[in-house]
Amino acid sequence: VGDIADMVSDLNQPMIVTPGNDDALSDALALLASQPELRNQIGLANRDKARAQLDEKTMIDSYRRLYASAMGRTTLV
């Protein structure tokens, strides 16, 4: 869905499958179900990426730049 593949860590990328590919989804789920340490590593990597790139301040700053640009401004007050 949308930007999910961009939001998750590199370690999580192999678990992102093409919509409608039931075999790939089944394989990814089976792998995750059988490897608790991998699940933990992926979770930690996703958390670290989210904290570094997707925190609230970063999101607000990004929206401010986007809206300012759409309005032909350099900043929003």
Side-chain angles (χ1 to χ4, degrees):
V1 174
D3 295 336
I4 298 298
D6 294 327
M7 294 170 61
V8 299
S9 68
D10 290 341
L11 190 59
N12 198 156
Q13 290 298 322
M15 304 305 134
I16 306 296
V17 300
T18 304
N21 188 339
D22 295 340
D23 291 335
L25 178 59
S26 177
D27 291 345
L29 291 173
L31 178 64
L32 290 170
S34 68
Q35 296 191 26
E37 184 56 34
L38 177 62
R39 289 193 312 268
N40 187 56
Q41 290 172 348
I42 290 172
L44 293 173
N46 286 336
R47 182 188 65 193
D48 291 345
K49 182 171 183 177
R51 284 183 174 163
Q53 298 178 6
L54 304 171
D55 68 23
E56 184 177 21
K57 180 180 179 338
T58 301
M59 179 188 68
I60 290 169
D61 291 344
S62 294
Y63 276 115
R64 280 192 175 134
R65 284 192 303 277
L66 176 67
Y67 292 144
S69 174
M71 296 168 60
R73 299 180 180 178
T74 56
T75 61
L76 288 178
V77 194

